[in-house]
Amino acid sequence: MKEFEYISPNSVEEAVSILASHGEKAKVLAGGTDLLNLISAGKIFPKLIVSLRNIQQFREIKKQDGSVSVGAFCTLRDVAKSEVIRDEYQILHDAVQQIGSVQIRSRGTIGGNICNASPAADTAAPLIVLGAEAIIQGPRGERRKPIVDFFTEPGRTILDPDEILTTIRLPEMKGKGDGLYIKLGRRRTIDLAIVGVAVYMVLRPSNGEIDDIRIAISSAAPKPLRIFDAESILKGKAPKKSLIEKAALMVGQASDPITDVRASKEYRKEMVKVLTMRAIEDLTARLNNEPQT
Amino acid sequence: MKRRIELRINGEIYELEVEPRSTLLKVIREILGLTGTKCGCERGECGSCTVLMNGLPVNSCLVLAVEAEGSDILTIEGLSKDGTLHILQKNFVEYGAIQCGFCTPGMIMTAKALLDTNHRPTEEEVRQYIAGNFCRCTGYDKIVKSILSSALEYK
Amino acid sequence: MQREDYNVIGKKFNKVEAVEKALGHLKYAGDIYFQNCLYAKVLRSPHAHAIVKRINTSKAEKLKGVKAVITHKDVPKIPTWHNALYVFSAQCFDSFILEEKVRHVGDRVAAVAAVSPEIAEEALELIEVEYQLLSAVFDRIKAMEEDSPTIHDFVWRGSDKVKIKNNILATREIKIGDVEKGFKEADIIVENIYETSRPNNAPLERSVITCCPGPGGSLEVYATTQGVHTLRMSLAGSLGIPLHLINVHRVYLGGSFGAHIHTGFIESICALLALKTQRPVRLEKTRKEIFLSCGRHPETIKLKTGVKKDGTLVAQHMDLTDDTGAYATGAESKMVLGAGDFMSMYQCPNQRFTGRTVYTNTPPLTAMRGAGNPQVHFAVESQMDIIAEQLMVDPIELRLRNLIKIGDKMYGAGHDIFSRINSNGTQELMIKGAEIIGWSRRGEVSNDKSRLRRGIGFARGFHTSGCGSEKPSGFYVEYSGAIVMINIDGSVNLITASVDSGSGGHTVYAGIVAEELGVRFEDVVVSDADTQTAPFDCPTHASRGTYVVGMVSKEAAKKAKEILLKWASEILEEPVNRLQTKEGKVYVVDQPERWTSIEEVVLVGHRNGWGSVIGLANLRPTECAPHFTVAFCEVEVDTQTGKVCVVRYIAGADVGTVINRNGVEGQIVGGVHMGLGYALLEDTKIDETNGEILTTNFTDYKILSPIDMPPVETIIADTFEPTGPFGAKGSGEGVTNPVAPAVCNAVYNAIRVRIKDLPITPEKILKALRKKSPNH
């Protein structure tokens, strides 16, 4: 690992001003589980590490007026252990539990999982379908952005070098519907997704038609994507197999994966379709209290 | 530039001068000579460097030593008391869970973290919890059995 | 002695070093630090095939803290020794300590020793290298074409300079009977091509070596090696210095699985830097560097089998192309082992083997748990199921019909060295295993029409226990030496150079010595040893530990016991043949009240100046006592994703007498774990455009997690190997060999799709399913 200086400011304001004066040479350290690997692999060479460890703020999961604010510095373990997340945002709870090992979840943060902008980040697709919002602090104050617009390309987000993601705001979802994240890995635990599909769906109690649906995919394009087209053909319709298949095909077509050591482009495209179908079918069954496949 | 830090490891306070880039693993092994904590990958992928930080298992290769200041660190050397093996150590020995033994210290630390919070884990929970600790020898069977049997005697 | 009378053997006992390991006190090679130590790092080639045209180290040398920089210009012009396990004339010498011509991405260009690893790394970046790029070849079949790039012009085999043509290091042709006639007599002929993958040994411990210079140009060496004596020979041979100047200390290994039988291409670099700087030098591989220096050989195997309608094999021809990577530390041994394995799998009167070992511009490969056999097992045991289906006979029936039996010839490491089978539990294991898994359900489980389909599969196999043969092989050095010493307090020291890589060898030897001497297991200490104090032993390989080292330990104990009983006979005034030992005491037969303690006997000898009680034994095994195994598994295949989940596994092993039950069970389940990885997941991926290794860490290269492991039930055959110590034979490798074909056969049973190239990935399954029914 190359040499660097280290500073641990006491507030986000202080951290942001340090970042502002150092530009690209400084990097934020939250849990370090990705950052230190990037440094030791020689992929980045920061001159200054700005550690968030002394900042007490943004480490809580708070419920306010129905919505929930997740502090970006919460560890993945904190999120996985949170009762409100488990009870009201199960899709996020499940996704977080599938990130890394217990060791990684002890240190890695939810903010870090998003800010690294891995196309395979497990929280990305679930947060997108939950309609989460990123709250960002910079030298010019605070700004907010829907998570779906947060990612730009592999490893890149809309964050400026002097900005810090502080909070992820989850809108009220209780009683509305249910979400499901399906991750396909090469093995059953601790693996990056070959592809991940998240679906959030609301059915009309009166006729079982799809009232609202959101579909997002990860590890299937340069950045996590929400597939609006496929959603729109499902909305207001009954979740029939043929329609689900058609929508899943659209999701597959919208995906733009790469070939890497985990899988080929072709396989990924195919799996996006298969998992989308499975997610919608399983959710339909779950919402109708039927046994799932 | 080196920084002066204070680390609390196995109940002892150490005053050290470390470079910011020094990992907790490097300090534990090379400065303090506690070589029970192993290094298998230096990327947080194999779990052989697992230590407990405020009771939680972490990959010490992915923690900067400067970040560990103020935390309570427990390594394998701090587990046995007065020459008596910890129940996990005893059962790992007796159940034949130790083959090459290179994963053992990290595995035992992870298992301790599990049993500290979950006194009666299911087999599935044990397997899930230790999945970040790579073992190339045992196929995990005897490791899982020793952890499950330790749970029954856990205090 | 009857097996039930054993006092130590067959019980579950704790490993001799287990407590130290549990406490974190045991020092592996990398846990030994020295004052004033330098850290070495290796500059590795970014190109798959190139000539180092110009290399400038001056900037690196000027960096503060750098103590030495070496390149190809600074290394002895002696072809490097890697594997003194082979007799000199069979060894392949095809590299230097550092290369002027690099032959794979990651090949060794230069090395630095500095006061810290960070400075050493920084210095590497300051070395300027100008490469002249050569075209490279990564595919073993293409490598043999006439216009393929030449990786080696020549190599040394012993002291013979051998020209290399078309990148073929060596070929073999072996014939038994009349194969053409056999095929003519056959009712059906089945012919298939099988391809195998490139898994990495991936021991958890990373390779490390520390060399400490001593007086007169000597070196004390601490290294992750499976053989201390052979490493000493390799270092002396490569550096061109007298053997006696080097002393290699035995340490416990954090796994090896074949990765450390030979050098890992860093040992001589480290020794050279230590001699040059006259300071201790430590060279530790990164995980990436391990991926660049070991792994199981990928092979292309054409198998043609002729069978009678009743299932009798009448002729078979295997044609095997073995990829050794850029260097051949194991010469053509994997191909030759494959030949022996092939010819010994089943009885067949007419057999032909043709094979070749080929160089490619890929990282050098090694033995890996099974040494050539997992590949051949995959081909033969897949083929047996294909034949069974064509003949419409039960796969188990077909195998039983052609099984090799006690008294049959066994080819260990090729056709020219062989032994006989003296014990064989295969049939017993097949019948028991079939019953446990519910073999009769086999048709039913696969008829499911849902997306998840289940199937049951079977395969069998074996591995030798060591490399014993009637006559010395001309290929392997195969013998062991051991010393047993009884101390004046009745404790016992076993002195062996044999390395325990984690399989529990030392515990087994201690148990055998305790049983033979009649002392308690706890009384036997396996001494610290090094090449100056322990007699020669081979590297720990070929599942030879229990069988060969166990046998020599028993022999040494027997010799010590002879002295003990002679002295006891004077003390107890009884002839030697009337004495026996048990639990630390010497008894008069049938008069248990007349006894003296072993401690007392040794002490009397000590007081009287009779000397020390020492037994020394040397032993060359004349048999290779194959240990037989069976594999039954049930899989579930997701026909939409192509994912295969192994839901149940039954592993049967015929290991002769079980010395330490915990140890054998651990070997079996561990062997299954590694075998399932071979079947389903593990493969080193190479960029076919530039030869770069794409899987160099455990994020990209996955092994099966504890969640992926099915419940493994173990069955152990009730056999006794008459040539083995207390009836025992090996167990480490035989378990792994049949796993992949068993999974493959189960997958076929589930979805009627046969995968002939490993690993069985979801993509291959989907592709094959689609080919079978295009509408899938």
Side-chain angles (χ1 to χ4, degrees):
Chain A
M1 223 188 299
K2 286 263 156 86
E3 244 182 312
F4 48 73
E5 289 300 313
Y6 171 91
I7 191 163
S8 46
N10 293 311
S11 69
V12 167
E13 291 74 17
E14 205 186 319
V16 162
S17 84
I18 294 167
L19 289 172
S21 60
H22 286 81
E24 295 275 5
K25 285 179 187 159
K27 282 279 171 204
V28 173
L29 171 73
T33 52
D34 278 311
L35 185 76
L36 295 185
N37 275 339
L38 290 174
I39 299 174
S40 56
K43 289 187 178 152
I44 55 169
F45 303 98
K47 290 273 178 272
L48 177 69
I49 294 293
V50 182
S51 167
L52 304 177
R53 67 185 293 253
N54 286 335
I55 301 174
Q56 300 308 314
Q57 247 186 318
F58 308 116
R59 294 183 184 279
E60 277 179 322
I61 297 168
K62 279 184 296 198
K63 197 167 173 180
Q64 265 175 332
D65 319 322
S67 76
V68 167
S69 291
V70 181
F73 312 160
C74 286
T75 63
L76 296 163
R77 179 180 187 275
D78 295 337
V79 179
K81 294 267 171 198
S82 158
E83 282 177 23
V84 59
I85 299 292
R86 190 193 58 209
D87 295 345
E88 297 178 25
Y89 305 91
Q90 199 198 332
I91 181 173
L92 181 61
H93 171 85
D94 293 347
V96 166
Q97 293 226 316
Q98 295 183 53
I99 303 174
S101 56
V102 285
Q103 289 93 326
I104 294 293
R105 295 197 294 275
S106 297
R107 296 286 297 168
T109 64
I110 183 146
N113 191 250
I114 297 163
C115 291
N116 285 313
S118 159
D122 284 309
T123 57
L127 287 173
I128 290 173
V129 298
L130 286 171
E133 186 181 50
I135 304 178
I136 299 158
Q137 200 162 325
R140 295 159 300 280
E142 190 185 280
R143 63 173 175 138
R144 292 169 179 239
K145 199 87 178 171
I147 286 284
V148 68
D149 299 326
F150 189 76
F151 310 99
T152 55
E153 56 181 286
R156 295 257 167 214
T157 68
I158 55 156
L159 283 185
D160 285 330
D162 55 3
E163 286 185 316
I164 291 176
L165 171 71
T166 60
T167 305
I168 295 137
R169 219 186 121 269
L170 303 170
E172 185 169 5
M173 302 301 267
K174 205 174 174 185
K176 285 185 181 163
D178 206 351
L180 183 61
Y181 173 62
I182 305 185
K183 171 182 179 174
L184 185 71
R186 290 166 299 172
R187 61 175 197 178
R188 288 167 70 182
T189 185
I190 316 182
D191 198 2
L192 296 174
I194 292 172
V195 290
V197 172
V199 175
Y200 200 95
M201 190 161 77
V202 184
L203 295 184
R204 286 178 192 145
S206 53
N207 55 11
E209 283 170 3
I210 298 171
D211 195 32
D212 192 10
I213 185 163
R214 292 178 209 156
I215 303 168
I217 55 176
S218 54
S219 208
K223 59 178 184 175
L225 293 180
R226 184 169 162 190
I227 315 296
F228 293 97
D229 297 7
E231 294 172 5
S232 63
I233 70 155
L234 289 162
K235 270 182 208 164
K237 309 268 172 53
K240 285 210 189 86
K241 194 174 169 108
S242 58
L243 185 65
I244 296 172
E245 212 171 314
K246 197 174 158 196
L249 201 64
M250 287 171 77
V251 178
Q253 278 160 356
S255 70
D256 180 19
I258 56 163
T259 295
D260 64 10
V261 294
R262 304 202 292 283
S264 73
K265 180 185 171 78
E266 295 72 28
Y267 181 72
R268 283 196 159 100
K269 263 186 123 60
E270 171 74 17
M271 287 309 105
V272 167
K273 191 188 94 188
V274 166
L275 297 192
T276 304
M277 275 192 68
R278 202 173 283 182
I280 298 172
E281 282 174 354
D282 284 3
L283 266 179
T284 308
R286 196 196 279 180
L287 289 165
N288 291 328
N289 291 320
E290 287 161 10
Q292 290 159 50
T293 54
Chain B
M1 207 171 50
K2 286 200 172 177
R3 294 168 65 99
R4 175 169 287 276
I5 60 163
E6 224 179 65
L7 283 184
R8 195 158 67 245
I9 296 176
N10 301 334
E12 300 220 15
I13 309 267
Y14 297 89
E15 273 191 38
L16 305 162
E17 280 208 348
V18 299
E19 287 187 358
R21 64 175 161 177
S22 293
T23 61
L24 180 59
L25 171 65
K26 195 177 157 93
V27 169
I28 288 172
R29 282 181 59 83
E30 294 176 19
I31 302 181
L32 304 180
L34 297 170
T35 56
T37 303
K38 304 301 178 198
C39 175
C41 73
E42 284 186 298
R43 287 176 48 97
E45 294 164 344
C46 77
S48 50
C49 67
T50 302
V51 300
L52 302 191
M53 195 165 161
N54 297 330
L56 298 181
V58 300
N59 294 309
S60 60
C61 70
L62 288 186
V63 178
L64 294 179
V66 290
E67 294 266 295
E69 195 166 20
S71 300
D72 221 339
I73 309 290
L74 187 70
T75 74
I76 188 74
E77 288 91 347
L79 200 57
S80 62
K81 294 227 167 59
D82 316 317
T84 316
L85 295 183
H86 183 273
I87 184 67
L88 278 162
Q89 291 171 317
K90 179 176 160 283
N91 282 331
F92 267 61
V93 170
E94 288 178 1
Y95 281 76
I98 301 175
Q99 288 192 25
C100 87
F102 206 81
C103 74
T104 304
M107 191 72 82
I108 287 179
M109 297 316 284
T110 302
K112 179 181 189 303
L114 170 66
L115 297 188
D116 282 347
T117 51
N118 183 351
H119 298 314
R120 290 288 178 274
T122 62
E123 178 171 343
E124 176 71 16
E125 283 170 329
V126 170
R127 286 181 179 266
Q128 196 65 255
Y129 203 86
I130 63 167
N133 291 78
F134 179 118
C135 169
R136 192 55 160 168
C137 299
T138 64
Y140 298 100
D141 241 31
K142 287 181 185 288
I143 290 173
V144 172
K145 285 196 181 94
S146 18
I147 296 172
L148 285 169
S149 72
S150 299
L152 300 175
E153 302 170 61
Y154 210 69
K155 286 183 199 96
Chain C
M1 189 161 32
Q2 292 295 304
R3 205 185 291 182
E4 48 271 27
D5 296 334
Y6 295 158
N7 292 303
V8 178
I9 284 169
K11 313 285 188 292
K12 279 192 182 183
F13 42 85
N14 300 341
K15 287 173 66 158
V16 290
E17 80 288 7
V19 168
E20 288 296 289
K21 282 177 172 174
L23 288 167
H25 293 169
L26 187 124
K27 299 281 185 198
Y28 297 83
D31 297 333
I32 307 168
Y33 289 93
F34 293 90
Q35 293 260 312
N36 205 28
C37 190
L38 299 176
Y39 296 83
K41 292 272 174 189
V42 180
L43 180 69
R44 292 178 178 276
S45 166
H47 307 296
H49 203 187
I51 289 167
V52 175
K53 284 269 286 185
R54 202 181 59 85
I55 185 160
N56 184 352
T57 58
S58 57
K59 281 185 193 156
E61 279 159 28
K62 278 181 201 135
L63 185 70
K64 194 166 172 262
V66 171
K67 299 297 172 189
V69 183
I70 54 172
T71 71
H72 69 89
K73 296 173 202 163
D74 308 298
V75 303
K77 299 292 172 271
I78 309 169
T80 309
W81 287 55
H82 290 288
N83 203 339
L85 164 65
Y86 305 121
V87 298
F88 181 70
S89 59
Q91 279 185 59
C92 177
F93 301 92
D94 55 8
S95 67
F96 292 106
I97 296 176
L98 295 166
E99 305 291 349
E100 186 172 4
K101 180 183 169 177
V102 290
R103 297 176 176 88
H104 66 91
V105 172
D107 209 352
R108 304 135 290 122
V109 175
V112 172
V115 295
S116 77
E118 290 82 9
I119 293 174
E121 239 161 49
E122 214 180 317
L124 292 186
E125 290 173 22
L126 298 174
I127 299 173
E128 297 160 347
V129 192
E130 193 186 306
Y131 293 97
Q132 179 194 332
L133 301 191
L134 304 171
S135 59
V137 62
F138 313 115
D139 176 276
R140 55 189 167 275
I141 305 298
K142 280 188 195 141
M144 293 187 291
E145 289 169 4
E146 280 299 330
D147 55 352
S148 220
T150 300
I151 300 170
H152 295 272
D153 284 312
F154 66 89
V155 302
W156 295 90
R157 299 303 300 266
S159 44
D160 294 338
K161 194 173 177 177
V162 179
K163 175 109 183 89
I164 299 294
K165 207 170 165 277
N166 301 334
N167 296 313
I168 297 169
L169 168 69
T171 59
R172 279 290 162 107
E173 176 160 15
I174 301 162
K175 278 183 189 167
I176 295 170
D178 186 338
V179 175
E180 292 316 311
K181 188 169 147 268
F183 280 122
K184 274 185 202 134
E185 287 166 7
D187 293 319
I188 63 159
I189 291 174
V190 175
E191 203 168 354
N192 286 290
I193 299 176
Y194 302 90
E195 303 271 357
T196 69
S197 52
R198 194 187 293 260
N200 189 266
N201 309 54
L204 187 51
E205 178 193 24
R206 301 175 307 160
S207 318
V208 57
I209 174 165
T210 306
C211 295
C212 303
S218 64
L219 285 175
E220 295 291 326
V221 176
Y222 303 81
T224 41
T225 178
Q226 287 170 247
V228 285
H229 279 285
T230 48
L231 177 60
R232 172 157 85 155
M233 291 162 74
S234 290
L235 288 173
S238 304
L239 296 166
I241 64 174
L243 187 80
H244 69 85
L245 288 178
I246 295 168
N247 185 29
V248 181
H249 296 256
R250 194 197 65 212
V251 287
Y252 282 100
L253 301 186
S256 58
F257 318 104
H260 313 309
I261 292 177
H262 41 73
T263 83
F265 290 83
I266 57 167
E267 291 79 356
S268 299
I269 297 174
C270 183
L272 191 60
L273 286 168
L275 287 175
K276 197 174 155 101
T277 58
Q278 282 301 302
R279 281 173 67 169
V281 177
R282 173 187 171 107
L283 208 177
E284 186 166 15
K285 276 187 189 170
T286 60
R287 180 54 60 184
K288 182 176 180 176
E289 285 177 300
I290 293 174
F291 278 102
L292 292 173
S293 59
C294 61
R296 186 176 287 151
H297 291 218
E299 294 179 348
T300 302
I301 300 175
K302 287 184 200 166
L303 181 57
K304 182 178 168 186
T305 316
V307 200
K308 291 292 234 186
K309 269 191 198 129
D310 68 355
T312 310
L313 300 183
V314 286
Q316 40 180 5
H317 176 202
M318 176 175 282
D319 181 79
L320 186 154
T321 303
D322 162 46
D323 184 346
T324 186
Y327 300 99
T329 54
E332 69 272 39
S333 63
K334 304 304 161 292
M335 182 258 288
V336 175
L337 279 159
D341 185 37
F342 160 66
M343 293 188 301
S344 305
M345 278 294 276
Y346 291 100
Q347 279 182 340
C348 180
N350 307 300
Q351 305 201 54
R352 182 170 173 228
F353 175 88
T354 45
R356 61 213 62 81
T357 292
V358 181
Y359 285 116
T360 55
N361 290 111
T362 61
L365 296 157
T366 55
M368 176 179 162
R369 202 174 199 157
N373 286 2
Q375 297 92 319
V376 167
H377 274 66
F378 175 60
V380 171
E381 286 298 277
S382 294
Q383 188 99 329
M384 288 303 269
D385 261 38
I386 295 171
I387 294 167
E389 191 186 28
Q390 285 202 20
L391 291 176
M392 292 190 290
V393 300
D394 185 288
I396 288 186
E397 278 301 313
L398 179 70
R399 285 160 171 107
L400 283 174
R401 187 155 306 164
N402 296 286
L403 221 51
I404 43 169
K405 300 193 171 65
I406 289 173
D408 282 351
K409 208 180 231 186
M410 177 76 206
Y411 298 92
H415 75 300
D416 50 353
I417 47 175
F418 62 89
S419 68
R420 300 259 164 208
I421 295 168
N422 298 299
S423 59
N424 187 345
T426 306
Q427 197 158 339
E428 175 195 338
L429 292 171
M430 280 168 73
I431 291 162
K432 273 191 193 158
E435 196 184 306
I436 295 171
I437 197 128
W439 186 251
S440 52
R441 293 184 294 133
R442 197 161 163 272
E444 302 157 32
V445 285
S446 56
N447 282 338
D448 198 341
K449 289 280 173 259
S450 73
R451 84 178 154 87
L452 297 174
R453 311 265 173 86
R454 287 214 170 190
I456 292 177
F458 166 77
R460 57 157 292 271
F462 70 87
H463 200 84
T464 62
S465 308
C467 300
S469 54
E470 280 186 344
K471 292 176 190 152
S473 80
F475 207 85
Y476 292 99
V477 174
E478 174 59 306
Y479 72 97
S480 287
I483 296 169
V484 166
M485 186 163 71
I486 311 176
N487 302 305
I488 52 173
D489 64 347
S491 68
V492 178
N493 284 109
L494 167 65
I495 299 165
T496 167
S498 178
V499 173
D500 192 329
S501 50
S503 57
H506 283 182
T507 306
V508 165
Y509 317 147
I512 286 173
V513 167
E515 188 73 55
E516 180 68 24
L517 285 178
V519 300
R520 295 175 311 156
F521 172 70
E522 304 80 65
D523 292 332
V524 182
V525 172
V526 181
S527 304
D528 275 345
D530 56 45
T531 50
Q532 282 180 353
T533 55
F536 180 87
D537 209 322
C538 292
T540 301
H541 79 121
S543 301
R544 72 190 290 279
T546 297
Y547 185 69
V548 185
V549 187
M551 220 185 312
V552 79
S553 302
K554 183 171 186 281
E555 193 60 26
K558 193 174 145 213
K559 288 187 176 169
K561 191 175 166 184
E562 280 166 12
I563 297 170
L564 186 81
L565 291 185
K566 205 175 114 208
W567 294 358
S569 124
E570 295 196 18
I571 295 164
L572 291 168
E573 298 176 334
E574 283 284 343
V576 166
N577 63 10
R578 293 262 304 137
L579 298 178
Q580 66 177 37
T581 55
K582 196 179 175 181
E583 287 167 356
K585 290 171 184 158
V586 185
Y587 295 86
V588 178
V589 176
D590 304 332
Q591 289 175 269
E593 69 287 356
R594 291 188 56 210
W595 62 274
T596 181
S597 69
I598 288 177
E599 180 183 344
E600 179 62 20
V601 176
V602 183
L603 204 53
V604 168
H606 175 72
R607 279 198 297 263
N608 293 331
W610 294 344
S612 297
V613 184
I614 294 182
L616 161 69
N618 274 297
L619 190 140
R620 186 186 76 78
T622 54
E623 315 264 353
C624 65
H627 54 284
F628 294 94
T629 52
V630 303
F632 287 89
C633 69
E634 184 165 346
V635 300
E636 186 174 80
V637 184
D638 185 325
T639 53
Q640 288 176 354
T641 61
K643 291 213 61 145
V644 175
C645 178
V646 180
V647 294
R648 194 177 176 199
Y649 195 100
I650 288 137
D654 156 30
V655 299
T657 301
V658 172
I659 306 280
N660 177 12
R661 191 155 291 274
N662 260 341
V664 169
E665 287 170 0
Q667 283 294 307
I668 292 175
V669 184
V672 169
H673 177 249
M674 205 174 264
L676 289 175
Y678 188 47
L680 297 172
L681 191 59
E682 294 188 37
D683 194 10
T684 307
K685 299 255 168 67
I686 295 178
D687 185 330
E688 282 161 25
T689 61
N690 58 16
E692 196 188 330
I693 306 301
L694 302 171
T695 46
T696 59
N697 56 52
F698 294 135
T699 296
D700 293 329
Y701 185 95
K702 285 289 176 205
I703 70 157
L704 293 175
S705 79
I707 315 276
D708 297 290
M709 276 298 282
V712 179
E713 294 151 77
T714 60
I715 35 175
I716 294 172
D718 182 20
T719 53
F720 188 92
E721 171 58 40
T723 64
F726 298 106
K729 45 185 178 176
S731 70
E733 292 170 278
V735 188
T736 306
N737 291 339
V739 181
V743 175
C744 213
N745 291 340
V747 167
Y748 184 82
N749 184 237
I751 56 171
R752 303 285 157 206
V753 151
R754 181 158 295 278
I755 305 297
K756 293 177 197 157
D757 56 332
L758 289 173
I760 310 162
T761 63
E763 296 206 49
K764 289 177 191 168
I765 297 247
L766 283 196
K767 221 177 256 176
L769 277 171
R770 200 156 292 145
K771 204 170 154 196
K772 199 179 103 189
S773 64
N775 296 328
H776 177 80

